[in-house]
Amino acid sequence: MSATTSALPGAENPGNVALDGLAREFVAALGPAAVVTDRVQLRTYECDGLTAYRCIPGLVVLPETAEQVGYVVRRCAQSSVPFVARGAGTGLSGGALPVATGVLIVLSRLTAVRNVSVDDERVVVEPGVVNLDVSRAVAADGYFYAPDPSSQQVCTIGGNVAENSGGAHCLKYGFTAHHVTGLEVVLPDGSVSRFGGLAPDPPGYDVVGALVGSEGTLGIVTEVTVRVVAVPERVETVLAGFRSMDDAGEAVSAIVAAGVLPAAVEMMDTLSIEAAESAVACGYPAGAQAVLIVELDGPAAEVSAELAEVEAICERAGAFEIRVARDADDRVAIWRGRKSAFAAMGRISRDYIVQDGVVPRTSLPQVLRDIALLSAESGIRVANVFHAGDGNLHPLVLFDSTRGETAAAEAVSERILELCIEHGGSITGEHGVGNDKKKHMGRMFTEVDLDVMQLVRCAFDPQSLCNPGKVFPTPRLCGERPGRRTGVHPVQAAGLGEVF
Amino acid sequence: MPTVAPATIDDLAAAVRDTAPSSIAVRGGGSKRDWGGVAEVAELEVSTAALDRIVEHADGDFVVTVQAGARLADVQNVLGSKGQWLALDPPEAGATIGGIVATAASGPRRLRFGTPRDLLIGVTVVLADGTVARSGGKVVKNVAGYDLGKLFCGAFGTLGVIAQCTFRLHPSPRAIRCVSVPLDDPGDAVRSLRRSPFRPSAIEYDGTRLSIVVEAFESAADAQAEQIRALVGGEVSAAVPEQFGARPWRSGEVGLKATFRVGALSPALALARGFRLSAHAASGVLWLGGAVDAGVLDELRAGFAAYDGSVVVVAAPDGMKRKLDVWGPVRGVEVMRRIRDQFDPDRRMNRGVLDAV
Amino acid sequence: MPSEGAWDERHPPPTELLDDCVHCGFCLPTCPTYVLWGEEMDSPRGRIYLMAEGHDGEPLSEPMVTHFDRCLGCMACVTACPSGVQYDRLIEATRAQVERRFPRSARERALRSLVFKTFPYPRRLHALRPFLRAYQKSGLRLPLPAKLTAMQRLLPPLGPASPVAELTPARGPRRARVGMLLGCVQREFFADVNAATVRVLTAEGCDVVAPSVQGCCGALSLHMGREDEAVRFAKRLIATFEPLGLDVIVVNAAGCGSAMKDYGWLLRDEAGWASRGAAFSAKVRDVSEWLVELGPGATRHALDVSVAYHDACHLAHAQRITSAPRELLRAIPGVEIREIEEAAICCGSAGVYNLLQPQAAGELGARKAANVAATGADVLVTANPGCLMQIRTALADRGIPMRLAHIVEVLDASIRRDPTLLGP
Ligand SMILES: Cc1cc2nc3c(=O)[nH]c(=O)nc-3n(C[C@H](O)[C@H](O)[C@H](O)COP(=O)(O)OP(=O)(O)OC[C@H]3O[C@@H](n4cnc5c(N)ncnc54)[C@H](O)[C@@H]3O)c2cc1C
Ligand code: SF4
Ligand code: SF4
């Protein structure tokens, strides 16, 4: 149904003749319901889940088929008009931030599940299919799709592929990259290519591997083949309350050192517990300074041995309450608190920044102490929700923009990323670089590293039309050879880490 | 062909850059030197033999950083002393880390742990012009920037020299049990295993015998093995059979790798009749050995294509390879060529090896 | 940038409520219009964004209004929102502004006024009955405009109207004295439901007080932004029930109940009425809610049926009542409850939505019918007359034979040991 098109196409960019013409062409080819040109309507697309960056797109197109996507991209390429893909717009790095002089291609209408082949452990979907719908498609057969971002009921597989999204259960099962075996992609020139498929190990370069996580800069994915896995025989979810983050952190290290590989190890601090309680009344242990959620899954015999071990470890580490979910409902209740934690921050703070950084797991306690110190010094509250098993921190920096705290909050948030880099970690574990963190890329990588990554970009998108201005701090024209590195790696020179 | 064996990454880069050779061959342990297309004789051979250090084993983080020339077996020894291992088990003796990554070599336990691409979390590479670059990092979870590591996995050295790798590690298995059962067609057994609640590390078929490996806590391993035996029959032992996971070809023969969608095991095995074989039966991978000519190869390719798979010639004497289309059709090859043109516009690296791209 | 924004001073959608939205998108998949069209402007997040744009200088333009009009007011987004965004308050304020300030086309005005001149007025609806009945019987299908066609197609087969007595005493020992809302649509088109409600309540030991003149609760007016009208209706209803000395006021139409539970807010600016409204609201119970609160007294006899229970939006999302009806059904021996896929998504009824947006309502109805049919249940049970009408039509259109019943009809059948009540 339609985006009412009342204003004339291109009205937003009166000077942009190319967009003007494209709008007319798209209306003719895709119908008026697929093209948005009215200013108030365009503005609803001006940001994704990270509202700090906004830009009114020149034009929004909502294709319904892969062919239409190909057509739209082809016409953009021929007219040298930039374009950006968007799924559900839940991204937290401004990856789907539109370009004012470009076209935003929204994939939310490509929602067909094209093929379910449980016997091959594969499902083939269009990019607009919601993550959780993949699991729903195979649930009756006892299978599920493992990558489970907290936004799984809304984010799309296309967005997941672009961001290489992860989730709580990725500790054991791996990220999106480990579960995508085939892609159909509209390349930035509008041509369509397929990579991989139902079978493993396609010959040649692992282009699927390069595309997953490329944040929509190498083309628009129009079909995704994913691997689904059998639902484990037994799942045990342990909820443990601790009197300090240190104790909880110790429990995590001990679990890992014991050779147990849980499906998930999640940690929350008091502030995030408070927010989750007020959102969904999850009933976490009262008075806990930290809770740990440990989920074990697998063959029954294995899980029961591990469960005993995990309970003992938590107790030794000082857990004052340990609860094991009695049934599926109980488990859902435990997870509900964790999964709602981000969005629930709105209940305890007017504004907040969701940070996403990674540190080696063993550095977790130190980094958490540093963050606490930072918070105390700045007077800016920081709530911590994170994937403790793989050291992926999600500090939530809480502030009130109406009280002029924005700058201080941003400073805290940036300092946290610096801490991650100093500890040999990463500036993003799952939300991507997007628009938000491109300025930090230079602290993790050298110019040369980035130039070499740009070689990939140039192979796919020599015109730099596909989601331009994202990921890389300084766009480089294709065709120049990257400079050569001589001497010591600057990251090493700065004492920030060893070259590896 | 002059060979250099630099001991540091900077020396490696300098060797390539300063001699600016017109063509470069990369050599690791040499255990797979007969893999891929026929390599052209290069102006310079770069050996990773002296780049064999374990740079850092962060055992608390289950992460290791190793130089490309380190031998897998040596790495496993060091890791094993801390109760950990790098969960890769390709059977080639003497293989180096760099070679394993470059060929994306896999073994039986890929069923549970995946292939090099799934465990590699950071990489340092040297391009044909001496540029040193890295991507990824040393934390398991990291989505900053493009994942060059994945592109280098299975690129057979054509995009640059892999100098150093960082991997995610796993705890060493506490106990191992293997259920072995002779079967003519393992299709149904494998299907029921895949649908079962069990989580074997490997399910291998050698043409006559299906071997299912479980690795877990002692008690859990026993319990699972017993249940698996009840499901498919056979015998339980505490060790894998001899020749477990070995490549099925002999020297002088043609070795092939065929892939297929995993549900098509039985028809895939039927296509492979007449070959010696070793199957990662629940992963959709078959290694074949025997006599192959162009006609046979075409037939096989047509057969496996019906299951969305491919057939590549892995190993063969050069003379035989020259008569065969080693790689066969490659899906998305135009894009791959563009990538190669960007990384190595003069095509200096490992010329001939990945001639399809 | 246009200088004058969409909203005037009088209760614009409050910015502090708009600020609660963190733009996470969790509400998208439960929004019926987003499910249908997949576009941001027709999602809760998009509508909230449009409201904010209105504060940011964007005018109340036709496209903007279109997206507000397309909102079903199903409040699924309120349930889904982890940030506690009060979309119900926001859309209510928005609609009042739109009604007051946006010039609609003549056609649209005519239709709206027809709806509002009949539906909230039991007597006018009553007067229409003979015509509608004759029309239905004649089998004539006159070439009416699409929206009017939608209206007449939705009507249930009309039986003779049967009034509810002003006072029906409890059977057995009295446990409570309850007032009963007769409802406009309910009383005229679903007289059987009202009769069953009275029987169940009395069987459970309630004196049932049902003033014959009670008027409309104002829900329709409120949901369509006719605030002043809603206020008038609310005051009259309060005045009618206040003096009757009731423990609770029972409602069997979810849409009415959700509005009546909100009188305190509706009357917040009316001198002397705010606290009266709040006191009244505190007594309002949906019939399922009340029966669970009361606990079963009368014996439930076995009914050998499988039941697909449909969550009416105004019960599940607006009043957050999902377990009570299921509990009541489960307590009947022999009843098997089957859950409907996409349960959270509206059937497209939504008050008079099916009259004002027939195409969208039709698509949602078809979708719901397919999901209902997939359960293979014998009976579809729900707690709202609008849903009953909508789903009946949608099932009939697809030629799916299925019995439909209000939940009190099922309870009534069980208590009276009369399974024929559920008969075809
Ligand atoms: C409350 C909340 C919790 C979250 N939790 C997690 C979490 O636990 N783990 C996690 O990893 N992420 C999480 N996220 C982030 C976000 O949900 C993911 O990044 C998700 O994958 C984005 O999907 P999307 O459909 O919303 O994509 P969008 O936001 O629309 O787009 C994201 C990027 O993908 C690109 N893109 C979209 N579709 C395509 C396509 N078809 N082809 C090519 N490029 C495309 C866009 O250009 C953009 O760069 C969370 C977000 C929120 C709001
Ligand atoms: S009330 Fe219903 S239709 Fe309206 S925005 Fe919310 S979910 Fe969508
Ligand atoms: S779920 Fe709530 S906070 Fe999130 S976008 Fe919807 S209304 Fe806003």
Side-chain angles (χ1 to χ4, degrees), chain A residues 1-2 39-41 43-46 48 54 86 88-90 108-109 153-154 343 347 350, chain C residues 1 19 23-26 29 37-40 45 49 53 56 58 67 70 82-84 359:
Chain A
M1 178 114 1
S2 101
R39 177 184 164 90
V40 295
Q41 296 177 326
R43 281 195 64 184
T44 63
Y45 285 102
E46 70 188 10
D48 58 11
R54 299 177 195 220
R86 173 175 163 125
T90 68
S108 57
R109 288 180 179 167
Q153 71 267 49
V154 44
R347 291 181 189 253
R350 192 178 181 285
Chain C
M1 164 93 45
D19 285 347
H23 219 248
C24 67
F26 277 34
W37 308 317
E39 60 187 27
E40 190 70 20
R45 184 175 65 179
Y49 213 85
E53 284 184 37
D56 192 26
E58 302 293 352
H67 301 302
R70 286 185 191 156
S83 287
Q359 195 199 334

Short mmCIF file of all heavy atoms in Angstrom, two decimals, chain A residues 1-2 39-41 43-46 48 54 86 88-90 108-109 153-154 343 347 350, chain C residues 1 19 23-26 29 37-40 45 49 53 56 58 67 70 82-84 359:
data_model
loop_
_atom_site.label_atom_id
_atom_site.label_comp_id
_atom_site.label_asym_id
_atom_site.label_seq_id
_atom_site.Cartn_x
_atom_site.Cartn_y
_atom_site.Cartn_z
N MET A 1 0.84 -1.18 0.00
CA MET A 1 0.00 0.00 0.00
C MET A 1 0.87 1.22 0.00
O MET A 1 2.07 1.17 0.16
CB MET A 1 -0.88 -0.11 1.24
CG MET A 1 -1.73 0.96 1.42
SD MET A 1 -3.09 1.82 1.55
CE MET A 1 -4.43 0.86 1.32
N SER A 2 0.27 2.35 -0.16
CA SER A 2 1.12 3.40 -0.67
C SER A 2 1.66 4.32 0.37
O SER A 2 1.08 4.60 1.39
CB SER A 2 0.34 4.25 -1.63
OG SER A 2 -0.06 5.43 -0.95
N ARG A 39 8.38 14.93 1.89
CA ARG A 39 9.35 15.26 2.93
C ARG A 39 9.04 14.63 4.29
O ARG A 39 9.90 14.01 4.91
CB ARG A 39 9.44 16.78 3.07
CG ARG A 39 10.39 17.20 4.18
CD ARG A 39 10.37 18.72 4.36
NE ARG A 39 10.98 19.06 5.63
CZ ARG A 39 12.27 19.30 5.76
NH1 ARG A 39 13.07 19.24 4.72
NH2 ARG A 39 12.77 19.59 6.95
N VAL A 40 7.80 14.74 4.75
CA VAL A 40 7.53 14.20 6.09
C VAL A 40 7.69 12.69 6.10
O VAL A 40 8.07 12.11 7.12
CB VAL A 40 6.13 14.58 6.65
CG1 VAL A 40 6.01 16.06 6.86
CG2 VAL A 40 5.01 14.04 5.81
N GLN A 41 7.38 12.06 4.99
CA GLN A 41 7.55 10.61 4.92
C GLN A 41 9.02 10.23 4.84
O GLN A 41 9.49 9.31 5.52
CB GLN A 41 6.79 10.06 3.72
CG GLN A 41 5.29 10.27 3.84
CD GLN A 41 4.55 9.79 2.62
OE1 GLN A 41 5.04 9.90 1.50
NE2 GLN A 41 3.34 9.29 2.82
N ARG A 43 11.39 11.76 6.04
CA ARG A 43 12.07 11.99 7.32
C ARG A 43 11.95 10.81 8.27
O ARG A 43 12.80 10.63 9.14
CB ARG A 43 11.51 13.26 7.99
CG ARG A 43 12.09 14.52 7.38
CD ARG A 43 11.83 15.73 8.24
NE ARG A 43 12.50 15.65 9.55
CZ ARG A 43 12.34 16.57 10.48
NH1 ARG A 43 11.55 17.62 10.29
NH2 ARG A 43 12.98 16.46 11.64
N THR A 44 10.91 9.98 8.10
CA THR A 44 10.83 8.82 9.00
C THR A 44 11.95 7.82 8.72
O THR A 44 12.17 6.90 9.48
CB THR A 44 9.46 8.10 8.90
OG1 THR A 44 9.30 7.57 7.58
CG2 THR A 44 8.31 9.03 9.22
N TYR A 45 12.63 8.04 7.60
CA TYR A 45 13.77 7.17 7.27
C TYR A 45 15.11 7.84 7.53
O TYR A 45 16.14 7.34 7.12
CB TYR A 45 13.70 6.77 5.79
CG TYR A 45 12.63 5.73 5.49
CD1 TYR A 45 11.42 6.09 4.92
CD2 TYR A 45 12.86 4.39 5.77
CE1 TYR A 45 10.45 5.13 4.64
CE2 TYR A 45 11.90 3.43 5.50
CZ TYR A 45 10.70 3.81 4.93
OH TYR A 45 9.74 2.86 4.66
N GLU A 46 15.09 8.97 8.20
CA GLU A 46 16.34 9.73 8.29
C GLU A 46 17.36 9.13 9.26
O GLU A 46 18.50 9.53 9.26
CB GLU A 46 16.07 11.21 8.61
CG GLU A 46 15.57 11.48 10.02
CD GLU A 46 15.15 12.95 10.21
OE1 GLU A 46 15.06 13.69 9.22
OE2 GLU A 46 14.88 13.33 11.36
N ASP A 48 18.51 5.32 11.71
CA ASP A 48 18.22 3.93 12.10
C ASP A 48 18.12 3.86 13.61
O ASP A 48 17.67 4.81 14.26
CB ASP A 48 19.27 2.97 11.51
CG ASP A 48 20.69 3.30 11.94
OD1 ASP A 48 20.88 4.13 12.86
OD2 ASP A 48 21.63 2.71 11.37
N ARG A 54 21.38 11.83 11.62
CA ARG A 54 20.19 11.91 10.79
C ARG A 54 20.50 12.57 9.46
O ARG A 54 21.29 13.51 9.41
CB ARG A 54 19.11 12.75 11.50
CG ARG A 54 18.70 12.14 12.80
CD ARG A 54 17.70 13.01 13.52
NE ARG A 54 17.63 12.57 14.90
CZ ARG A 54 16.49 12.49 15.59
NH1 ARG A 54 15.35 12.83 15.04
NH2 ARG A 54 16.51 12.07 16.83
N ARG A 86 18.62 -0.64 3.49
CA ARG A 86 18.09 -0.60 4.84
C ARG A 86 17.19 -1.81 5.04
O ARG A 86 16.41 -2.16 4.16
CB ARG A 86 17.29 0.68 5.05
CG ARG A 86 16.55 0.73 6.39
CD ARG A 86 15.89 2.09 6.55
NE ARG A 86 14.87 2.07 7.58
CZ ARG A 86 14.85 2.90 8.63
NH1 ARG A 86 15.79 3.80 8.77
NH2 ARG A 86 13.88 2.83 9.50
N ALA A 88 15.45 -3.43 8.74
CA ALA A 88 14.46 -2.97 9.71
C ALA A 88 14.87 -1.66 10.38
O ALA A 88 14.13 -1.10 11.18
CB ALA A 88 14.23 -4.04 10.77
N GLY A 89 16.08 -1.19 10.08
CA GLY A 89 16.52 0.06 10.68
C GLY A 89 16.76 -0.04 12.17
O GLY A 89 16.50 0.89 12.91
N THR A 90 17.27 -1.19 12.63
CA THR A 90 17.58 -1.34 14.05
C THR A 90 19.07 -1.23 14.31
O THR A 90 19.51 -1.37 15.44
CB THR A 90 17.12 -2.70 14.60
OG1 THR A 90 17.92 -3.73 14.02
CG2 THR A 90 15.66 -2.95 14.30
N SER A 108 12.40 -4.15 3.36
CA SER A 108 11.41 -4.72 4.27
C SER A 108 10.27 -5.45 3.58
O SER A 108 9.48 -6.12 4.23
CB SER A 108 10.86 -3.63 5.19
OG SER A 108 10.31 -2.59 4.42
N ARG A 109 10.15 -5.30 2.27
CA ARG A 109 9.07 -6.01 1.58
C ARG A 109 9.55 -7.31 0.93
O ARG A 109 8.75 -8.03 0.33
CB ARG A 109 8.45 -5.11 0.51
CG ARG A 109 7.63 -3.99 1.13
CD ARG A 109 7.02 -3.10 0.08
NE ARG A 109 6.21 -2.05 0.71
CZ ARG A 109 5.75 -0.99 0.08
NH1 ARG A 109 5.99 -0.82 -1.21
NH2 ARG A 109 5.03 -0.09 0.72
N GLN A 153 13.59 -10.37 17.10
CA GLN A 153 12.20 -10.40 16.64
C GLN A 153 11.92 -9.31 15.61
O GLN A 153 10.85 -9.28 15.04
CB GLN A 153 11.22 -10.28 17.81
CG GLN A 153 11.15 -8.92 18.49
CD GLN A 153 12.09 -8.84 19.67
OE1 GLN A 153 13.26 -9.18 19.57
NE2 GLN A 153 11.59 -8.40 20.80
N VAL A 154 12.89 -8.44 15.38
CA VAL A 154 12.63 -7.36 14.43
C VAL A 154 13.69 -7.20 13.35
O VAL A 154 13.38 -6.87 12.22
CB VAL A 154 12.36 -6.03 15.17
CG1 VAL A 154 13.33 -5.82 16.29
CG2 VAL A 154 12.39 -4.83 14.25
N ALA A 343 16.74 -1.64 25.39
CA ALA A 343 15.63 -0.76 25.07
C ALA A 343 14.99 -0.25 26.35
O ALA A 343 14.41 0.83 26.38
CB ALA A 343 14.63 -1.49 24.20
N ARG A 347 13.73 3.73 30.38
CA ARG A 347 12.92 3.88 31.59
C ARG A 347 13.70 4.49 32.74
O ARG A 347 13.10 5.01 33.68
CB ARG A 347 12.36 2.52 32.03
CG ARG A 347 11.33 2.00 31.06
CD ARG A 347 10.79 0.68 31.55
NE ARG A 347 9.96 0.06 30.52
CZ ARG A 347 8.64 -0.01 30.59
NH1 ARG A 347 7.99 0.43 31.62
NH2 ARG A 347 7.96 -0.56 29.61
N ARG A 350 16.84 9.46 30.48
CA ARG A 350 16.25 10.15 29.36
C ARG A 350 16.98 9.79 28.07
O ARG A 350 16.38 9.49 27.05
CB ARG A 350 16.33 11.66 29.59
CG ARG A 350 15.48 12.43 28.62
CD ARG A 350 15.53 13.93 28.88
NE ARG A 350 14.67 14.60 27.93
CZ ARG A 350 15.00 14.78 26.66
NH1 ARG A 350 16.15 14.38 26.20
NH2 ARG A 350 14.16 15.39 25.84
N MET C 1 12.68 25.04 5.69
CA MET C 1 11.93 24.33 6.76
C MET C 1 10.66 25.10 7.09
O MET C 1 10.71 26.29 7.39
CB MET C 1 12.85 24.19 7.98
CG MET C 1 12.18 23.83 9.30
SD MET C 1 12.06 22.10 9.75
CE MET C 1 13.72 21.48 9.38
N ASP C 19 9.72 11.46 23.57
CA ASP C 19 11.14 11.24 23.88
C ASP C 19 11.41 9.84 24.45
O ASP C 19 12.54 9.37 24.45
CB ASP C 19 11.64 12.29 24.88
CG ASP C 19 11.85 13.63 24.21
OD1 ASP C 19 11.84 13.66 22.96
OD2 ASP C 19 11.99 14.64 24.92
N HIS C 23 13.65 4.43 19.38
CA HIS C 23 13.80 4.09 17.97
C HIS C 23 14.38 2.70 17.75
O HIS C 23 15.12 2.44 16.80
CB HIS C 23 14.70 5.14 17.28
CG HIS C 23 14.24 5.48 15.89
ND1 HIS C 23 14.94 5.14 14.77
CD2 HIS C 23 13.14 6.12 15.46
CE1 HIS C 23 14.30 5.56 13.70
NE2 HIS C 23 13.20 6.16 14.09
N CYS C 24 14.05 1.78 18.67
CA CYS C 24 14.62 0.44 18.58
C CYS C 24 13.90 -0.44 17.56
O CYS C 24 14.43 -1.43 17.10
CB CYS C 24 14.61 -0.24 19.94
SG CYS C 24 12.94 -0.62 20.55
N GLY C 25 12.65 -0.10 17.26
CA GLY C 25 11.92 -0.87 16.26
C GLY C 25 11.27 -2.15 16.76
O GLY C 25 10.69 -2.91 15.97
N PHE C 26 11.34 -2.42 18.05
CA PHE C 26 10.75 -3.66 18.57
C PHE C 26 9.25 -3.75 18.31
O PHE C 26 8.66 -4.82 18.33
CB PHE C 26 11.02 -3.80 20.08
CG PHE C 26 12.37 -4.37 20.38
CD1 PHE C 26 13.46 -4.08 19.58
CD2 PHE C 26 12.57 -5.20 21.47
CE1 PHE C 26 14.72 -4.59 19.84
CE2 PHE C 26 13.83 -5.74 21.75
CZ PHE C 26 14.90 -5.43 20.94
N PRO C 29 7.24 -5.48 14.19
CA PRO C 29 6.61 -6.72 13.73
C PRO C 29 5.23 -6.99 14.31
O PRO C 29 4.53 -7.85 13.80
CB PRO C 29 7.60 -7.81 14.15
CG PRO C 29 8.45 -7.20 15.20
CD PRO C 29 8.47 -5.74 14.94
N TRP C 37 2.40 -3.58 4.89
CA TRP C 37 3.03 -2.74 3.88
C TRP C 37 4.52 -2.57 4.05
O TRP C 37 5.19 -2.05 3.16
CB TRP C 37 2.34 -1.36 3.85
CG TRP C 37 0.87 -1.48 3.71
CD1 TRP C 37 0.19 -2.33 2.88
CD2 TRP C 37 -0.13 -0.77 4.47
NE1 TRP C 37 -1.16 -2.19 3.06
CE2 TRP C 37 -1.40 -1.24 4.01
CE3 TRP C 37 -0.07 0.20 5.45
CZ2 TRP C 37 -2.59 -0.76 4.53
CZ3 TRP C 37 -1.27 0.69 5.96
CH2 TRP C 37 -2.52 0.21 5.50
N GLY C 38 5.04 -2.93 5.20
CA GLY C 38 6.49 -2.87 5.38
C GLY C 38 7.09 -1.49 5.23
O GLY C 38 8.24 -1.38 4.80
N GLU C 39 6.36 -0.45 5.52
CA GLU C 39 6.99 0.86 5.41
C GLU C 39 6.97 1.61 6.73
O GLU C 39 6.04 1.48 7.53
CB GLU C 39 6.35 1.68 4.28
CG GLU C 39 4.87 1.93 4.49
CD GLU C 39 4.21 2.60 3.29
OE1 GLU C 39 4.71 2.43 2.17
OE2 GLU C 39 3.22 3.29 3.50
N GLU C 40 8.02 2.37 6.91
CA GLU C 40 8.28 3.02 8.19
C GLU C 40 7.13 3.94 8.63
O GLU C 40 6.75 3.96 9.80
CB GLU C 40 9.58 3.82 8.07
CG GLU C 40 10.11 4.37 9.36
CD GLU C 40 10.66 3.32 10.31
OE1 GLU C 40 10.99 2.21 9.87
OE2 GLU C 40 10.75 3.62 11.51
N ARG C 45 6.83 3.16 15.22
CA ARG C 45 8.02 4.01 15.30
C ARG C 45 7.90 5.17 14.31
O ARG C 45 8.25 6.31 14.64
CB ARG C 45 9.25 3.15 14.99
CG ARG C 45 10.57 3.88 15.14
CD ARG C 45 11.74 2.92 14.94
NE ARG C 45 11.81 2.38 13.59
CZ ARG C 45 12.75 1.54 13.17
NH1 ARG C 45 13.70 1.14 14.00
NH2 ARG C 45 12.75 1.09 11.94
N TYR C 49 7.51 9.12 15.01
CA TYR C 49 8.44 10.04 14.37
C TYR C 49 7.68 11.18 13.69
O TYR C 49 8.08 12.34 13.77
CB TYR C 49 9.29 9.29 13.33
CG TYR C 49 10.68 9.84 13.21
CD1 TYR C 49 11.68 9.42 14.07
CD2 TYR C 49 10.99 10.79 12.25
CE1 TYR C 49 12.96 9.93 13.98
CE2 TYR C 49 12.27 11.32 12.15
CZ TYR C 49 13.25 10.88 13.01
OH TYR C 49 14.52 11.40 12.93
N GLU C 53 7.97 15.05 14.25
CA GLU C 53 8.19 15.99 13.14
C GLU C 53 7.22 17.16 13.25
O GLU C 53 7.56 18.31 12.94
CB GLU C 53 7.96 15.30 11.79
CG GLU C 53 9.08 14.39 11.35
CD GLU C 53 8.80 13.83 9.96
OE1 GLU C 53 8.25 14.54 9.11
OE2 GLU C 53 9.12 12.65 9.73
N ASP C 56 8.50 19.60 15.18
CA ASP C 56 9.74 20.11 14.60
C ASP C 56 9.45 20.96 13.37
O ASP C 56 10.29 21.13 12.51
CB ASP C 56 10.62 18.90 14.23
CG ASP C 56 12.03 19.28 13.90
OD1 ASP C 56 12.48 20.33 14.40
OD2 ASP C 56 12.69 18.54 13.14
N GLU C 58 7.09 20.48 10.92
CA GLU C 58 6.43 19.94 9.73
C GLU C 58 4.92 20.13 9.87
O GLU C 58 4.35 19.92 10.94
CB GLU C 58 6.74 18.45 9.57
CG GLU C 58 8.22 18.12 9.46
CD GLU C 58 8.88 18.64 8.18
OE1 GLU C 58 8.14 19.13 7.29
OE2 GLU C 58 10.12 18.59 8.08
N HIS C 67 -1.22 8.50 7.53
CA HIS C 67 -0.59 7.45 8.33
C HIS C 67 -1.19 7.36 9.72
O HIS C 67 -1.26 6.28 10.30
CB HIS C 67 0.92 7.66 8.37
CG HIS C 67 1.53 7.65 7.01
ND1 HIS C 67 1.41 6.58 6.17
CD2 HIS C 67 2.20 8.60 6.32
CE1 HIS C 67 2.01 6.86 5.01
NE2 HIS C 67 2.48 8.09 5.08
N ARG C 70 -4.44 5.48 9.32
CA ARG C 70 -4.29 4.04 9.07
C ARG C 70 -3.97 3.26 10.34
O ARG C 70 -3.98 2.03 10.33
CB ARG C 70 -3.18 3.80 8.05
CG ARG C 70 -3.59 4.16 6.64
CD ARG C 70 -2.46 3.78 5.73
NE ARG C 70 -2.66 4.31 4.40
CZ ARG C 70 -1.65 4.52 3.56
NH1 ARG C 70 -0.41 4.27 3.93
NH2 ARG C 70 -1.89 4.97 2.36
N PRO C 82 9.63 -2.13 24.81
CA PRO C 82 10.37 -2.30 26.05
C PRO C 82 10.63 -0.97 26.78
O PRO C 82 10.96 -0.97 27.95
CB PRO C 82 11.69 -2.93 25.61
CG PRO C 82 11.81 -2.66 24.16
CD PRO C 82 10.47 -2.32 23.62
N SER C 83 10.48 0.13 26.07
CA SER C 83 10.75 1.42 26.70
C SER C 83 9.53 2.02 27.38
O SER C 83 9.62 3.12 27.90
CB SER C 83 11.26 2.42 25.66
OG SER C 83 12.55 2.11 25.29
N GLY C 84 8.41 1.35 27.30
CA GLY C 84 7.23 1.86 27.95
C GLY C 84 6.65 3.10 27.29
O GLY C 84 6.08 3.96 27.96
N GLN C 359 -9.99 -1.57 2.87
CA GLN C 359 -9.03 -2.43 2.17
C GLN C 359 -8.04 -3.05 3.15
O GLN C 359 -7.81 -4.26 3.16
CB GLN C 359 -8.30 -1.63 1.11
CG GLN C 359 -7.57 -2.55 0.13
CD GLN C 359 -6.49 -1.81 -0.62
OE1 GLN C 359 -6.55 -0.61 -0.80
NE2 GLN C 359 -5.49 -2.55 -1.06
#
